[in-house]
Amino acid sequence: MVHYAELPVNSSHRSQWIDITGGVQSILSSSAIQSGVVTISSLHTTAGITINENADPDVGRDFFRQLERIVPADASYHHREGNSDSHVKASMVGLSATIPVQSGRCVLGTWQSIYFCEFDGPRSRRVSVTCIGE
Amino acid sequence: MVHYAELPVNSSHRSQWIDITGGVQSILSSSAIQSGVVTISSLHTTAGITINENADPDVGRDFFRQLERIVPADASYHHREGNSDSHVKASMVGLSATIPVQSGRCVLGTWQSIYFCEFDGPRSRRVSVTCIGE
Amino acid sequence: MVHYAELPVNSSHRSQWIDITGGVQSILSSSAIQSGVVTISSLHTTAGITINENADPDVGRDFFRQLERIVPADASYHHREGNSDSHVKASMVGLSATIPVQSGRCVLGTWQSIYFCEFDGPRSRRVSVTCIGE
């Protein structure tokens, strides 16, 4: 059984992560899938998907600050749109995440949330959610 | 339903990405799968898979140049094969990508292509493509 | 067909990778799945999953040393638990891996092993293994 839907995400800063765990679980719950996996993908090239801590917002601040140190927005680049760093960051963090499903729920650790990672906002974005299982 | 095939890829430089979107779509189209996901995996340890922009080739040049700044080929390493950086880059970029399938097509954003990322070429490589769905 | 199990992993150092290929294959073999994919996920936010070389242990030493250069444990961070670097490293390496299955075996390249990547050990950890296929 396969269930597919897209989740709209609106970012408000150049770099930020947005917790989409609730939106993903909602799409999963609207299917009859009890056991399997769900794949969450960014449909863009300057935004990725990751899983990280949902308790202390400082984790997200450190994450983006450290990525900025590694891949500075203002290093010398060829691409003329001013977002070369965003493309590199998206590929470093990854464009998708695949999560187990049991009893109709995303299987996540206690501190885990699913994050949409914006690296070139603010923008209106789309995330695809594909649930597959039985 | 599961369909598996391998895609040969030949790189011509030490570091480069090669657009394999057409090859992946071909394998998917040779199956009867209309809805599901396709997982594309590098069968090597010094080459990865990512998704990024297909319009401006400068994005790829910036990508490899910035990765080289972060993980220089000539930093001090223990491994004696001269490709320690390639192993690190492969794990940073990731060894596989999973992409949704709808109406028998890979679901990709407007600017997205699937790239085989060579970090220790030139070599003859193999990419596994697993289509799963209904 | 879906088969789910969890694999316990005990780390003994702050940073290390642990080869879990045997454990993953064991879980896969206890299912009847012959063809499909297996998704291996870290249920934590300071530990990831990657695939890399299993022959020369120096590859792992170089991997962790280079990550430490990129994301130093002692850079200035906001998060007060002393493991901000671990959170960043986990998202850079990725929280999961998806691997093809053929003839009931994980399809891996000659030199590939599946590694649990500890970035904030020593700890007792859990890895989820979801096999899906026919």
Side-chain angles (χ1 to χ4, degrees):
Chain A
M1 200 156 33
V2 178
H3 178 67
Y4 177 86
E6 292 182 10
L7 190 65
V9 179
N10 293 302
S11 61
S12 52
H13 297 87
R14 186 171 196 269
S15 290
Q16 74 181 117
W17 65 24
I18 295 169
D19 191 331
I20 56 171
T21 313
V24 170
Q25 180 60 50
S26 249
I27 289 171
L28 173 61
S29 296
S30 73
S31 82
I33 292 168
Q34 290 297 305
S35 176
V37 292
V38 54
T39 294
I40 302 107
S41 304
S42 162
L43 293 170
H44 308 276
T45 59
T46 53
I49 305 287
T50 198
I51 291 168
N52 217 307
E53 186 185 304
N54 53 22
D56 179 0
D58 279 343
V59 170
R61 296 173 63 196
D62 289 336
F63 175 78
F64 284 95
R65 191 161 72 158
Q66 190 61 29
L67 279 187
E68 183 61 28
R69 287 171 180 152
I70 299 169
V71 188
D74 61 358
S76 68
Y77 297 111
H78 296 287
H79 184 53
R80 306 299 289 264
E81 294 179 17
N83 62 359
S84 283
D85 64 307
S86 320
H87 287 284
V88 179
K89 288 165 183 165
S91 277
M92 281 179 58
V93 164
L95 277 287
S96 71
T98 297
I99 291 164
V101 172
Q102 286 291 291
S103 309
R105 309 282 310 167
C106 292
V107 177
L108 291 167
T110 313
W111 308 106
Q112 288 185 328
S113 276
I114 309 163
Y115 287 101
F116 176 82
C117 296
E118 176 63 80
F119 295 116
D120 191 31
R123 286 179 191 256
S124 292
R125 303 290 207 172
R126 288 181 308 133
V127 171
S128 71
V129 179
T130 314
C131 313
I132 185 162
E134 58 192 14
Chain B
M1 200 156 34
V2 178
H3 178 67
Y4 177 86
E6 291 182 10
L7 190 66
V9 179
N10 293 302
S11 60
S12 52
H13 297 88
R14 184 169 196 270
S15 289
Q16 76 183 117
W17 66 24
I18 295 168
D19 191 331
I20 56 171
T21 313
V24 170
Q25 180 61 51
S26 252
I27 290 171
L28 173 61
S29 296
S30 73
S31 82
I33 292 169
Q34 290 298 304
S35 176
V37 293
V38 53
T39 294
I40 302 108
S41 304
S42 162
L43 293 170
H44 308 277
T45 58
T46 54
I49 305 287
T50 198
I51 291 168
N52 218 308
E53 186 184 304
N54 53 21
D56 179 1
D58 278 344
V59 170
R61 297 173 62 196
D62 288 337
F63 175 78
F64 283 96
R65 192 162 70 158
Q66 190 61 29
L67 278 187
E68 184 61 27
R69 288 170 180 153
I70 298 170
V71 188
D74 61 359
S76 67
Y77 297 111
H78 296 288
H79 184 54
R80 304 298 289 264
E81 295 179 16
N83 63 358
S84 283
D85 64 308
S86 320
H87 287 284
V88 179
K89 288 165 182 164
S91 278
M92 280 179 60
V93 165
L95 277 288
S96 72
T98 297
I99 290 165
V101 173
Q102 287 291 291
S103 308
R105 309 282 310 168
C106 293
V107 178
L108 291 167
T110 313
W111 307 106
Q112 287 186 329
S113 276
I114 309 163
Y115 287 102
F116 176 82
C117 296
E118 176 63 80
F119 294 116
D120 191 31
R123 288 180 190 254
S124 292
R125 303 291 207 170
R126 290 181 307 133
V127 171
S128 71
V129 179
T130 314
C131 313
I132 184 161
E134 57 191 13
Chain C
M1 200 157 34
V2 178
H3 178 67
Y4 177 86
E6 293 183 9
L7 190 65
V9 180
N10 293 302
S11 60
S12 52
H13 296 88
R14 185 169 196 271
S15 288
Q16 75 181 117
W17 64 24
I18 296 168
D19 191 332
I20 57 171
T21 313
V24 170
Q25 181 60 51
S26 250
I27 289 172
L28 173 60
S29 296
S30 73
S31 82
I33 292 168
Q34 291 297 303
S35 176
V37 293
V38 54
T39 294
I40 303 107
S41 305
S42 162
L43 293 170
H44 309 275
T45 58
T46 53
I49 305 287
T50 199
I51 290 168
N52 218 306
E53 186 186 304
N54 53 23
D56 179 0
D58 278 344
V59 170
R61 295 174 62 197
D62 288 338
F63 175 78
F64 283 96
R65 193 163 68 157
Q66 191 60 29
L67 278 187
E68 183 62 26
R69 288 170 180 154
I70 299 168
V71 188
D74 60 359
S76 68
Y77 296 111
H78 296 288
H79 184 53
R80 305 298 291 264
E81 294 179 17
N83 63 357
S84 283
D85 64 308
S86 320
H87 287 284
V88 178
K89 289 165 182 164
S91 278
M92 282 180 59
V93 164
L95 277 288
S96 72
T98 297
I99 291 163
V101 172
Q102 286 291 290
S103 308
R105 310 280 311 167
C106 292
V107 178
L108 291 167
T110 313
W111 307 106
Q112 288 185 329
S113 275
I114 309 163
Y115 287 102
F116 176 82
C117 297
E118 176 63 79
F119 294 116
D120 191 30
R123 286 179 191 256
S124 293
R125 303 290 208 171
R126 289 181 309 133
V127 172
S128 70
V129 179
T130 315
C131 313
I132 183 162
E134 58 192 13

